[in-house]
Amino acid sequence: MVTFEQAKTYMTSHGMILTQSLYRQLQCYLEKLTQTNQYMNLTAITEPSEVWMKHFLDSAMLLQKVPLALGASVVDVGTGAGFPGMVLAILRPDLQILLLDTLQKRVQFLEETAALLGLNGVRCLHARAEEAGKNAAYREQFDLATARAVASMPVLTEYCMPFVKPGGLFAAMKGPAESAEDARAAAEVMGGDIPTEICYTLEGVGERKLICIRKHTATPEKYPRRSDKIRKEPIH
C-alpha cells in the first residue's frame, strides 16, 4: 500500500498538492481498479506504487503542464480504465469531463467508479471516436481533448481534434519516441497551429511529453474519416 506521505511526496516533487481527501479518493479508485481487474483486463500495471507513479502521477501531470480554466470541458478519447480523465476529475472536480471508450464493459466500470467517488462532473460515453466526433452533441464542444491511447500522432490528431472548440487545445500524452513534427500535417488539416512539445521526466517512468495543438479554425466536415481510412491513410 502507498501511504499518504509517500503519495504526497510523489505529487509535491512535481509541484502538485495532495490533500488527505484527494488521497482517499485516489486510493478508492485504486481499490476499485484492482478488484475489477481480476475479471476484466483494465491494466497490466497493478502494483500500488506503480499505479501511483505510472497512472496517477502521469495523468496528474497534464494539470500541472496545461492550465485549465474553472469549469473547463474535457474529453478523454480512448480513456480505457480512466487515464488520464478519471484522475483529472478527482483532482479538479470543477471540470466537466467526458470519458469516451469503445468497450461497453470499460464504460460500465467508469460509470460505477464515478458514482462511487461522487464525481458529478463526469459523463461516460460508449462510442467510437470517429462517430462521436461527427455528432453535433460532441463536435467542437470541448476546451481540451486528450488521449494516452496507443496510436501514432497523425491518427490521434484526426480522432481528437474534431472534439476541440476553436481556441481550445488537443494534448496527447506520449513517450519520447514521437515528436510534434509527426503531427504537423494532420494538425494543419484539422484546423490547428503548429504542434509544440512539453517534455518532462517522472521517476520510475522515464521521459514523457505532451504534444499540444492549439485549434484556430473549425475542422472540415469531412473529418474524422472512417477508422480504417484514418489508420491505413494517416495524414502526413
Side-chain angles (χ1 to χ4, degrees), residues 63 68 71-76 79 82 84-100 114 119-125 142 144 146:
L63 294 176
L68 284 172
S73 53
V74 180
V75 58
D76 180 6
T79 185
M86 191 71 78
V87 176
L88 305 187
I90 292 169
L91 298 177
R92 283 280 305 273
D94 62 286
L95 299 176
Q96 301 301 306
I97 298 182
L98 179 68
L99 304 177
L100 186 153
L119 301 175
N120 297 324
V122 171
R123 293 180 295 151
C124 304
L125 179 64
F142 297 90
L144 173 72
T146 188

Side-chain angles (χ1 to χ4, degrees), residues 176-225:
E178 291 188 75
S179 72
E181 188 60 32
D182 297 331
R184 182 189 284 258
E188 182 178 352
V189 170
M190 296 293 134
D193 289 332
I194 295 172
T196 58
E197 292 183 4
I198 302 172
C199 300
Y200 54 96
T201 302
L202 296 179
E203 302 91 326
V205 180
E207 293 180 39
R208 299 287 290 153
K209 67 174 65 173
L210 290 171
I211 298 178
C212 300
I213 303 169
R214 182 69 62 181
K215 188 167 182 175
H216 57 81
T217 60
T219 298
E221 287 187 13
K222 68 178 283 190
Y223 299 105
R225 297 168 294 166

Side-chain angles (χ1 to χ4, degrees), residues 52-165:
W52 269 91
M53 293 297 292
K54 296 182 179 179
H55 283 327
F56 292 173
L57 179 59
D58 187 42
S59 296
M61 288 300 291
L62 183 60
L63 294 176
Q64 208 261 353
K65 300 295 183 182
V66 177
L68 284 172
L70 190 71
S73 53
V74 180
V75 58
D76 180 6
V77 179
T79 185
F83 306 117
M86 191 71 78
V87 176
L88 305 187
I90 292 169
L91 298 177
R92 283 280 305 273
D94 62 286
L95 299 176
Q96 301 301 306
I97 298 182
L98 179 68
L99 304 177
L100 186 153
D101 200 83
T102 58
L103 189 63
Q104 179 61 53
K105 287 183 179 180
R106 282 197 293 258
V107 171
Q108 183 178 344
F109 161 77
L110 296 168
E111 289 173 338
E112 291 174 356
T113 303
L116 178 67
L117 299 177
L119 301 175
N120 297 324
V122 171
R123 293 180 295 151
C124 304
L125 179 64
H126 173 224
R128 292 182 176 278
E130 68 273 18
E131 295 169 357
K134 292 219 169 187
N135 185 326
Y138 309 108
R139 187 178 180 87
E140 300 192 329
Q141 297 298 307
F142 297 90
D143 299 303
L144 173 72
T146 188
R148 276 175 104 212
V150 181
S152 68
M153 276 308 302
V155 169
L156 271 187
T157 300
E158 185 167 349
Y159 278 133
C160 294
M161 284 289 283
F163 291 102
V164 181
K165 301 174 181 176

